[in-house]
Amino acid sequence: MPWVVIWPVLVVGALVGAFFLGRDLWRRGLRLAHAASAASEAVGRLSDRQEELTSAARARHPVPPVAFSRDLDDVRAGLAAARDVHDRRIDERHARYRLVMRRWLDVWR
């Protein structure tokens, strides 16, 4: 007699659990589809702006031509200019770090 009660309860419990699991999987699938759609739109926008972004990147970090046929003084001048830009960026970064550290010291004193 107890098996007549236990088995239907187990089957109904399994069906209820399967329903909630299926509903959760369905909702996750919908969220994944929405995220994939948003990602494809972002890729489309980036591909539309690819030339603009490429030219901006080249303007920000120009790659010098190969120096085989260039005069040695021109190469040294270009190298000195690149070092100056690099040193300026490092100095700016260190100034920002010093400012942040000063703020943290004011907070923790």
Side-chain angles (χ1 to χ4, degrees):
M1 177 70 178
W3 292 107
V4 174
V5 176
I6 292 175
W7 278 106
V9 169
L10 289 175
V11 169
V12 169
L15 290 175
V16 168
F19 167 76
F20 285 116
L21 177 65
R23 186 180 68 169
D24 184 53
L25 289 175
W26 176 257
R27 289 178 178 175
R28 286 177 187 235
L30 287 178
R31 286 194 301 255
L32 178 64
H34 289 298
S37 172
S40 67
E41 289 174 6
V43 167
R45 286 193 309 268
L46 283 176
S47 65
D48 291 342
R49 292 187 55 209
Q50 179 181 5
E51 184 62 36
E52 177 186 342
L53 294 173
T54 303
S55 63
R58 284 189 183 139
R60 187 170 181 194
H61 298 291
V63 177
V66 179
F68 291 133
S69 62
R70 292 175 52 194
D71 186 28
L72 190 56
D73 292 332
D74 292 339
V75 174
R76 286 183 181 150
L79 183 60
R83 284 183 181 157
D84 290 341
V85 169
H86 182 261
D87 291 342
R88 181 178 45 84
R89 285 184 182 164
I90 287 177
D91 291 341
E92 290 172 359
R93 185 180 309 132
H94 287 179
R96 286 193 311 265
Y97 288 163
R98 281 192 294 274
L99 179 64
V100 168
M101 286 299 149
R102 195 175 313 123
R103 287 179 186 165
W104 273 104
L105 287 175
D106 291 342
V107 168
W108 289 104
R109 284 187 189 173

